[in-house]
């Protein structure tokens, strides 16, 4: 029995590779070159559509740990990256053409893989399927997916507010409160008039990420970029996401001129997102401008804000803990479509989907690494997030369970990585078939 994979991007090739390593057959559908996406340029599988970097190689970073786990799972992406690497300091960057060619050749020449170059418009629901059609899933398939999951659970744009590590917020200035004294659910950063004006001017002048040709600035009113809102007038933010009404600063006993609210973003309470601050500012500009907000002078960002054309599922609501559609347990979802963000993360979920699809047809129990590992933390985030407005996320230490003991920020990466490596090794013995 063949396992069907739809999408020959980073997640799709990883899934295929994992399946054939376990001796099972694959039929891999890829619509390019007959039909292409607005971002892909070639007919290669696993084409990197933008940057050629797979980010840090350092094991003391969360993405470094994730790559190490992928290597232990036999990742074709990591293998190809190490064969086609170009100098990039502490990052793993590749020659994009050689990288994609290397993977394409290995996949198309494998005797257990059949490639079909065609667009899939409907998911064959009666088969075991891995859906990995990425952020630019074709319209017909997206429409079918919406029928299966419900209209409201498939998104076409992300609207991401920056996320800050809680312990980098200066709580001598910021304070917990909800509006009108109804609880203490938010961290509030108060601004006086002159602070607001300085922030406002910096926001207007800050450099923005240029839009791709296919990304028309068709923003929904409910999630306008903060800088676009600012352009509408000096007080628009004070009557929008920065409205101070119902907030009293305990240091002054008065309502501030404006306020930035931060909402808890993970169960552990180590991450807070800046409410209503979705943005197209460049990352260094976000750091510079948002650090002008009182209480955030030393803020460390777990994720920067962004707004992209991005097809993704509302994972916590529609996927089970093995990344299968809750309504169809024979359909696994992998890659960016599952609600994660990034090349490495997409590839990593492809490996897990491939492994679990094989386990599924062999009637073995499905597996997920523990949340102390990078892959486990990523999947737990997808399926266990508390946020009402789920948005995609790169891997970062904020997704991991807290360490047992306090440690200085600079030491923490090594401690997380050490704990993760031990747990991953123990898990791997049981997971591989
Ligand atoms: C413009 C853009 C730039 C990005 N830049 C970066 C970056 O610099 N760094 C980073 O880490 N991440 C980046 N990402 C995010 C993401 O990591 C990549 O998109 C990544 O390639 C996702 O991997 P994937 O396997 O999920 O999807 P993809 O790599 O996009 O693969 C999906 C495949 O499915 C195919 N397909 C789609 N619909 C169908 C269908 N109906 N039938 C058959 N085939 C179909 C597509 O042709 C494609 O080959 C970017 C995303 C976009 C959209």
């Amino acid at each position: 029995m063949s396992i069907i994979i739809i999408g020959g991007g980073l997640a799709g090739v990883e899934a295929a590779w994992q399946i054939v390593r376990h001796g099972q057959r694959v039929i891999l559908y890829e619509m390019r070159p007959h039909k292409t996406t607005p971002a892909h340029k070639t007919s290669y599988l696993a084409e990197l559509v933008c940057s050629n970097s797979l980010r840090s190689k350092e094991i003391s970073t969360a993405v470094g740990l994730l790559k190490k786990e992928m290597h232990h799972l036999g990742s074709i992406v990591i293998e190809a990256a190490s064969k086609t690497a170009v100098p990039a300091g502490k990052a793993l960057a590749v020659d994009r053409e050689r990288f994609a060619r290397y993977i394409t050749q290995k996949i198309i020449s494998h005797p257990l893989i059949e490639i079909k170059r065609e667009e899939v418009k409907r998911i064959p629901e009666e088969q075991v399927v891995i859906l990995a059609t990425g952020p630019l899933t074709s319209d017909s398939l997206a429409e079918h997916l919406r029928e299966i999951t419900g209209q409201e659970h498939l998104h076409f744009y992300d609207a991401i507010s920056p996320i800050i590590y809680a312990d980098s917020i200066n709580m001598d200035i910021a304070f917990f409160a909800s509006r009108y004294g109804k609880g203490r659910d938010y961290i509030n950063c108060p601004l006086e008039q002159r602070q607001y004006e300085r922030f406002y001017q910096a926001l207007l002048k800050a450099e923005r990420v240029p839009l791709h040709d296919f990304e028309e600035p068709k923003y929904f009113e409910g999630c306008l970029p903060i800088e676009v809102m600012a352009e509408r007038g000096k007080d628009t933010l004070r009557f929008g996401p920065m409205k101070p009404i119902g907030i009293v600063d305990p240091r002054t006993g008065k309502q501030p001129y404006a306020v930035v609210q931060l909402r808890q973003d993970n169960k552990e309470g180590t991450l807070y997102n800046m409410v209503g601050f979705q943005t197209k500012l460049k990352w260094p500009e976000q750091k510079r401008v948002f650090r002008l907000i009182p209480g955030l002078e030393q803020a460390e960002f777990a994720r920067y804000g962004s707004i992209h054309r991005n097809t993704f599922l509302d994972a916590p609501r529609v996927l089970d803990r093995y990344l299968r559609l809750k309504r169809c347990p024979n359909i696994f979802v992998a890659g960016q479509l599952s609600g994660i963000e990034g090349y490495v993360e997409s590839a990593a979920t492809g490996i897990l989907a491939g492994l679990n699809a094989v386990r599924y047809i062999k009637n073995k129990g499905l597996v997920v690494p523990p949340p102390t590992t990078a892959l486990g933390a990523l999947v737990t985030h997808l399926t266990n997030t508390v946020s009402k407005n789920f948005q995609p996320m790169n891997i970062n230490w904020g997704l991991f369970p807290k360490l047992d003991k306090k440690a200085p920020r600079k030491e923490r990466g090594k401690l997380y990585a050490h704990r993760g490596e031990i747990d991953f090794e123990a898990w791997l013995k049981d997971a591989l078939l």
Side-chain angles (χ1 to χ4, degrees):
M1 173 184 175
S2 296
I3 295 170
I4 309 293
I5 299 177
I6 312 176
L10 292 163
V13 297
E14 284 285 25
W17 199 241
Q18 196 59 216
I19 293 166
V20 296
R21 286 180 79 224
H22 290 93
Q24 296 294 317
R25 291 189 170 276
V26 167
I27 300 176
L28 173 61
Y29 287 88
E30 169 52 57
M31 66 180 183
R32 288 176 295 122
H34 305 302
K35 178 165 185 167
T36 192
T37 79
H40 288 83
K41 302 271 184 291
T42 73
S43 60
Y44 288 132
L45 305 175
E47 178 181 336
L48 300 177
V49 286
C50 189
S51 151
N52 65 334
S53 170
L54 305 187
R55 315 205 312 275
S56 178
K57 286 190 281 203
E58 304 272 295
I59 184 74
S60 57
T61 64
V63 75
L65 181 65
L66 182 59
K67 285 199 284 282
K68 189 156 185 195
E69 292 173 5
M70 291 165 68
H71 169 69
H72 287 310
L73 285 164
S75 162
I76 188 172
V77 164
I78 300 300
E79 179 188 314
S82 64
K83 299 259 188 217
T84 61
V86 295
K90 291 178 179 171
L92 175 60
V94 300
D95 173 324
R96 73 176 70 242
E97 161 92 16
R98 288 181 55 226
F99 170 82
R101 199 172 56 222
Y102 179 94
I103 292 179
T104 305
Q105 277 168 359
K106 285 200 95 159
I107 295 283
I108 61 176
S109 61
H110 198 287
L112 293 178
I113 303 178
E114 181 185 348
I115 308 273
K116 295 197 176 188
R117 294 281 188 171
E118 58 189 84
E119 180 192 5
V120 175
K121 295 187 174 170
R122 292 185 74 80
I123 303 164
E125 290 175 58
E126 62 296 345
Q127 307 206 42
V128 177
V129 175
I130 297 175
L131 190 56
T133 44
L136 303 167
T137 294
S138 72
D139 293 346
S140 321
L141 188 68
E143 199 41 55
H144 183 221
L145 191 53
R146 285 189 115 188
E147 282 167 26
I148 300 178
T149 60
Q151 297 286 321
E152 68 284 18
H153 294 310
L154 184 70
H155 304 294
F156 294 103
Y157 277 87
D158 52 33
I160 295 179
S161 298
I163 292 190
I164 292 173
Y165 287 106
D167 61 1
S168 68
I169 301 170
N170 182 355
M171 294 305 289
D172 290 338
I173 295 175
F175 55 92
F176 279 100
S178 297
R179 290 208 157 87
Y180 306 107
K182 290 182 185 160
R184 290 167 44 82
D185 289 345
Y186 292 81
I187 293 180
N188 298 270
C189 298
L191 292 92
E192 294 170 7
Q193 184 168 356
R194 70 181 165 78
Q195 292 168 324
Y196 176 81
E197 280 167 8
R198 185 166 165 241
F199 166 75
Y200 175 73
Q201 290 303 333
L203 184 60
L204 285 184
K205 288 181 197 139
E207 223 183 319
R208 301 174 190 187
V209 179
L211 293 172
H212 289 281
D213 298 344
F214 56 90
E215 288 182 321
E216 301 162 50
K218 260 193 317 191
Y219 302 120
F220 300 109
E221 276 300 306
C223 51
L224 283 178
I226 188 89
E227 61 279 7
V228 172
M229 245 182 283
E231 277 170 350
R232 293 184 170 183
K234 200 165 139 209
D235 285 325
T236 308
L237 296 179
R238 288 207 322 120
F239 289 96
M242 294 179 74
K243 70 171 176 279
I245 194 122
I247 298 283
V248 176
D249 183 343
R251 284 182 313 155
T252 61
K254 291 187 191 151
Q255 179 175 298
Y257 187 72
V259 74
V260 173
Q261 289 205 303
L262 302 159
R263 188 193 295 125
Q264 187 173 333
D265 203 80
N266 63 346
K267 277 196 180 139
E268 307 278 350
T270 52
L271 299 176
Y272 275 74
N273 72 65
M274 300 177 71
V275 181
F277 270 60
Q278 55 277 356
T279 175
K280 290 290 280 184
L281 295 194
K282 291 189 167 171
W283 287 6
E285 291 289 82
Q286 292 188 35
K287 187 169 176 180
R288 181 179 67 79
V289 175
F290 298 153
R291 279 183 167 192
L292 296 175
I293 296 166
L296 302 187
E297 296 86 351
Q298 304 294 326
E300 292 294 337
F301 292 81
R303 174 181 85 184
Y304 285 100
S306 58
I307 301 178
H308 300 114
R309 168 79 175 80
N310 187 5
T311 316
F312 67 98
L313 285 164
D314 185 357
R317 285 169 191 86
V318 301
L319 299 183
D320 73 5
R321 58 187 296 252
Y322 305 111
L323 304 187
R324 297 178 298 179
L325 290 180
K326 284 180 184 162
R327 290 182 55 186
C328 313
N330 51 319
I331 300 178
F332 294 82
V333 183
Q336 190 100 351
L337 183 64
S338 70
I340 40 95
E341 171 73 32
Y343 295 151
V344 183
E345 292 84 345
S346 295
T349 54
I351 299 179
L352 191 65
L355 181 60
N356 272 331
V358 174
R359 295 185 71 97
Y360 182 77
I361 59 171
K362 290 190 171 178
N363 281 323
K364 307 257 184 199
L366 305 191
V367 289
V368 176
T372 46
T373 66
L375 185 51
L378 202 56
V379 173
T380 307
H381 166 71
L382 283 183
T383 54
N384 228 357
T385 286
V386 285
S387 167
K388 270 194 230 155
N389 173 26
F390 173 78
Q391 291 292 325
M393 181 86 124
N394 284 119
I395 185 80
N396 66 74
W397 294 129
L399 302 185
F400 291 64
K402 273 185 185 165
L403 294 166
D404 293 338
K405 55 179 186 198
K406 286 207 165 215
R409 173 173 292 283
K410 283 195 173 146
E411 298 295 311
R412 274 182 234 164
K414 280 189 201 133
L415 296 173
Y416 277 121
H418 179 66
R419 180 182 69 178
E421 282 190 289
I422 294 171
D423 290 356
F424 188 80
E425 206 176 304
W427 171 80
L428 195 58
K429 285 192 193 119
D430 294 333
L432 292 183
L433 293 160

